[in-house]
Amino acid sequence: MAPSTQSTDLPVNEVPADVRSVSDESDISNEEGWEDVEPEDDSQPVVGLFSDTIFPDIRSMLKECKEKNNFDLRKIQKDLDLDFLDTIKLVNYVRSEVKAGNQTPDVSSKAKFEDDAYLKPVLEDDAVLYSLDDITEDQNEQAAPGTEAERKVLELQEELERLQTQFSEYRLAVQKSMDDQLDKEDEKLEPGENAKRPVKDRLEDADADYFTSYSYNAIHESMLKDAIRTDAYRDFVYENKNLFKDKVVLDVGCGTGILSMFCAKAGAKKVISVDNSNIIDRAREIVYDNGLGDVITCIRGKIEEVTLPVEQVDIIISEWMGYALLFEAMFDSVIYARDRYLAPGGLMVPSHATLRVAPYADPDFVASHISFWNNVYGFKMNAMKMNIHDEALVRHVPTTSIAADSAVFLSLPLHTITVDELTFLKDFKVTLSQDIDALDGWAIWFDMFFMPSADSTVPSDAVPADMQKKGYVAFTTGPFGTETHWQQTICLIDHGKEEPRALKKGQVITGQIGYQKKEQGSRLLDLSIQWQVDENSKGAQRWSLQ
C-alpha cells in the first residue's frame, strides 16, 4: 500500500493560529514570549493502524479504527484478557497484516498473534506503542466513584507502573537487537579485521551464536506452542509405547526436554538428552521437577564431542528441522548421531521428510515488500531495494498465492540419507492451476512422517493427510495445512528491467532447485532455482536463507 501524501489532521508540532495570537498586545517577535507558547513536544506522529493518516493522539486514531474498520482495541483487550506485551503484539500483528494487504486481520484469538516475532515494531518509532498507557488512563477515568472504584484505580495505577517498567525493558531489548543487527551489517559493508580472520574462527563464532540463541525462553515457547509440531511427536510416542518400552533413547538437541519426557512416560528404560546451549540446565531442572531424573540423563555439549554413557541406542528422536527444512544444518548432527550410536535396525523419529516447491503469485505482497520503497511518505527510497531479492523470506503464504500443485523435489529417508546428499540440484515440474499476471516467485515447504520401523517406506508423493487416514503420524508445514512456526520460505523473483509475462492455467513449468551451504561448515543456506515455461519465459536466480 502506497503511503498517503495527504491528511486532514494538523501536522505534528504545528501551533494553531489562535494560540500564536494569545492577545493583541503579544509581541510575536519576542523570542522569550514565543518560546512560552510554542510546544516542545518532539514525539512521533500517531499513524493509523489501517491507513497512513496521521492523528493528533491515540484516542482519535482508535476512534476511527472502531468506526471505519470495526476494530475496537479496548474491547479486544478486554475480551482476550490482553496484558501490555500482548497488546504490543496485537498492534504489530495488525500492522503487519495491513502491510501485507489484509484490511481485516483475524483477531478472534490471542493465538493469532502470540508469536514473539510480533514484539518487534513493524513501524519504526511507532507512537502507538508508546501511547498504550493512555488507554489505561482512559479506563481509569471511566471508573465509577466510590471506595471500590478508588481501590480499582490504585490497582490499575500499580499495574500501569509495572507494565511501563516492562515496556521500558522491551524498548531496550528491541534497541539492543537492532544495534546488534546494524553492527553485523556494518561489518558486511566495511570489511576489516573480521573479514581477514580464518574461516574456521568465523564459523566457530557463528556456531557459538547459534547455540546461544537457543538459550532464551522465547524460541522454546514458540516451538512448544506449535501444536502441529509438538502434538505429532507426542502422538507418535504415546500411540507406539510398545516401540519405546524398555528401550534406550537418544534425544539430539533436546531443548527443554519435552521429547525426552514423552519417551520416559512411554516406558523407555533410559533417555539421554543432549544439548549444547544453556537450556540444558533448565531441562535438567524440569526433568527432576517431573520425577523423571532416574530415567533421563541430561548432557551438555555437541553430539559430535560428548561421550555418551552407552555404546548404542535403540531410538534417536530429534526435532532438527529448520526453515526450508535444512537451514541451521542441525540434521548433519543427527546423521552423525545415527551413524555413531544407532543400533542396527534402530528407529529414527521422525523417519521421513519430503521437500516441496510451488510457483508463487501474489502482487499484493510484492507491492508491500518491494514497491513500497517507491513512495514512502512521498519520498523515493529506491536505495532500500538494493539486493532486496537476494534474501529468501519466511512468511505464511495464503493458499490463493499458490499457483499450482506443489512438486516434491527431494525425499529424505532419515535412516539412510547422508550429509553429502543434503547438497543437491534436483529437477521439478509443475502445471499451473490458475491464470496469473506474473510468476512472482517460489514457495518452499516440507512434510514430516513418523513411521514405526526402519524398514517402513513412504511414497515419494505421499501427502500427510492421506498418511494420517491410514493411521500414521505426519504433518505438513505447507500453506494448505495449519500454520506452523516454520511457515513457508518465499523466493521472490527479480524481473529486473523486463516486464514479467502473464501465464495461463495449464502451462507447464520445468526447472531445477539447488541447496548448498553458504560455505563448508556453515549453518546458512543458499538456494538456487532455474525455471522455464518456454523459450520466451525462463530464468535463474539465487537466494540466501540466513
Side-chain angles (χ1 to χ4, degrees):
M1 180 191 309
S4 171
T5 57
Q6 296 180 350
S7 172
T8 58
D9 301 290
L10 286 172
V12 178
N13 294 337
E14 179 172 318
V15 183
D18 59 342
V19 175
R20 291 200 296 269
S21 53
V22 176
S23 69
D24 293 338
E25 288 83 12
S26 296
D27 181 2
I28 61 172
S29 65
N30 183 300
E31 293 182 357
E32 292 184 0
W34 181 248
E35 290 173 354
D36 290 338
V37 297
E38 184 174 18
E40 296 180 354
D41 182 15
D42 62 351
S43 60
Q44 295 295 321
V46 176
V47 181
L49 293 181
F50 295 89
S51 70
D52 298 313
T53 302
I54 305 299
F55 295 85
D57 53 51
I58 192 171
R59 297 175 185 84
S60 56
M61 187 274 288
L62 292 180
K63 181 181 179 182
E64 178 171 288
C65 289
K66 183 177 179 181
E67 294 174 351
K68 292 188 177 181
N69 302 94
N70 196 29
F71 179 85
D72 190 339
L73 180 61
R74 296 182 180 88
K75 186 175 186 301
I76 295 171
Q77 278 184 307
K78 182 178 179 181
D79 292 347
L80 301 183
D81 190 25
L82 303 184
D83 60 21
F84 187 71
L85 292 182
D86 290 333
T87 307
I88 289 175
K89 292 181 182 180
L90 170 62
V91 170
N92 287 324
Y93 163 73
V94 171
R95 287 205 186 280
S96 64
E97 288 293 296
V98 171
K99 186 177 180 181
N102 179 14
Q103 285 286 322
T104 57
D106 185 355
V107 293
S108 59
S109 166
K110 189 190 296 188
K112 298 294 182 181
F113 49 86
E114 65 183 0
D115 195 319
D116 282 346
Y118 292 119
L119 286 175
K120 183 178 180 180
V122 174
L123 186 66
E124 186 176 355
D125 292 329
D126 191 348
V128 174
L129 301 181
Y130 305 144
S131 305
L132 292 178
D133 54 343
D134 291 346
I135 302 175
T136 306
E137 290 174 1
D138 285 348
Q139 293 170 342
N140 289 348
E141 292 171 0
Q142 296 169 6
T147 305
E148 180 63 21
E150 291 174 355
R151 183 186 63 79
K152 186 64 176 175
V153 168
L154 288 174
E155 290 178 357
L156 289 173
Q157 287 175 338
E158 292 175 357
E159 178 70 2
L160 177 59
E161 291 177 1
R162 183 180 67 81
L163 292 177
Q164 285 176 326
T165 300
Q166 286 184 352
F167 186 47
S168 296
E169 294 173 352
Y170 156 74
R171 289 174 63 185
L172 290 172
V174 171
Q175 187 60 50
K176 182 179 185 302
S177 175
M178 293 175 64
D179 289 344
D180 290 346
Q181 186 63 33
L182 286 172
D183 288 343
K184 291 178 181 179
E185 293 300 320
D186 287 344
E187 289 178 3
K188 293 178 184 178
L189 292 171
E190 300 177 11
E193 293 302 316
N194 185 59
K196 300 176 183 177
R197 297 175 63 215
V199 172
K200 180 176 180 295
D201 291 348
R202 288 191 283 110
L203 290 176
E204 286 177 354
D205 286 349
D207 211 36
D209 290 341
Y210 166 74
F211 287 111
T212 298
S213 71
Y214 278 88
S215 300
Y216 302 112
N217 279 25
I219 193 168
H220 295 284
E221 180 181 356
S222 173
M223 291 187 291
L224 290 171
K225 286 182 175 178
D226 186 341
I228 298 300
R229 160 204 183 265
T230 310
D231 286 2
Y233 281 89
R234 179 202 61 191
D235 293 348
F236 178 77
V237 174
Y238 286 177
E239 292 172 10
N240 295 277
K241 290 184 178 179
N242 60 303
L243 298 178
F244 291 85
K245 179 68 174 175
D246 296 327
K247 294 297 194 298
V248 178
V249 181
L250 171 61
D251 182 356
V252 182
C254 66
T256 58
I258 187 69
L259 305 187
S260 297
M261 291 188 289
F262 287 157
C263 296
K265 285 289 188 180
K269 176 174 64 177
K270 187 176 188 62
V271 182
I272 304 165
S273 308
V274 180
D275 202 295
N276 193 39
S277 78
N278 290 335
I279 197 66
I280 195 69
D281 297 325
R282 304 278 187 89
R284 189 175 289 111
E285 291 182 35
I286 293 169
V287 165
Y288 279 95
D289 285 346
N290 287 276
L292 299 172
D294 57 336
V295 177
I296 301 174
T297 300
C298 296
I299 299 176
R300 168 79 183 259
K302 295 181 181 179
I303 189 63
E304 297 89 344
E305 298 174 357
V306 300
T307 301
L308 300 189
V310 296
E311 284 297 316
Q312 288 186 326
V313 299
D314 303 300
I315 299 171
I316 291 179
I317 191 169
S318 178
E319 196 279 80
W320 52 267
M321 298 83 79
Y323 298 131
L325 187 63
L326 298 181
F327 176 65
E328 296 182 5
M330 184 179 165
F331 189 39
D332 295 22
S333 297
V334 175
I335 291 176
Y336 172 88
R338 179 199 70 192
D339 296 344
R340 170 66 178 82
Y341 293 108
L342 189 62
L347 180 64
M348 296 290 291
V349 181
S351 60
H352 297 75
T354 54
L355 270 163
R356 292 179 173 271
V357 64
Y360 174 82
D362 192 335
D364 290 338
F365 180 77
V366 172
S368 68
H369 184 70
I370 307 293
S371 305
F372 163 77
W373 298 108
N374 294 340
N375 185 336
V376 182
Y377 289 87
F379 298 98
K380 294 180 180 179
M381 293 193 177
N382 290 332
M384 297 301 295
K385 292 194 290 185
M386 183 181 298
N387 302 324
I388 198 170
H389 290 91
D390 295 349
E391 185 174 348
L393 308 172
V394 177
R395 299 285 192 279
H396 176 62
V397 176
T399 56
T400 52
S401 301
I402 301 300
D405 289 340
S406 62
V408 173
F409 61 89
L410 182 68
S411 296
L412 295 86
L414 271 58
H415 288 91
T416 57
I417 196 164
T418 65
V419 171
D420 289 342
E421 291 177 274
L422 304 183
T423 297
F424 56 83
L425 185 64
K426 297 291 184 179
D427 295 331
F428 70 87
K429 179 180 179 181
V430 293
T431 302
L432 292 178
S433 57
Q434 57 182 286
D435 295 346
I436 56 177
D437 293 331
L439 177 62
D440 294 318
W442 300 94
I444 298 170
W445 65 89
F446 60 89
D447 299 334
M448 300 303 301
F449 304 88
F450 298 70
M451 302 300 285
S453 80
D455 298 325
S456 300
T457 58
V458 173
S460 60
D461 59 347
V463 177
D466 291 341
M467 298 297 288
Q468 290 168 359
K469 292 177 183 177
K470 296 178 181 179
Y472 297 109
V473 176
F475 69 84
T476 181
T477 64
F480 294 92
T482 303
E483 183 178 351
T484 70
H485 75 280
W486 289 288
Q487 300 183 308
Q488 294 86 49
T489 300
I490 304 175
C491 300
L492 291 180
I493 293 174
D494 183 2
H495 291 287
K497 297 180 180 179
E498 296 181 8
E499 285 294 323
R501 286 183 54 198
L503 300 176
K504 295 292 185 181
K505 178 180 178 180
Q507 285 190 278
V508 175
I509 306 177
T510 59
Q512 291 184 312
I513 182 168
Y515 273 42
Q516 185 173 358
K517 290 184 177 68
K518 179 71 69 176
E519 54 188 333
Q520 189 64 33
S522 172
R523 295 188 181 277
L524 307 183
L525 188 64
D526 279 343
L527 310 175
S528 64
I529 302 179
Q530 305 169 33
W531 65 93
Q532 179 169 343
V533 183
D534 52 43
E535 284 300 320
N536 297 317
S537 183
K538 57 184 176 180
Q541 196 170 324
R542 194 178 189 89
W543 298 265
S544 292
L545 188 56
Q546 53 189 334

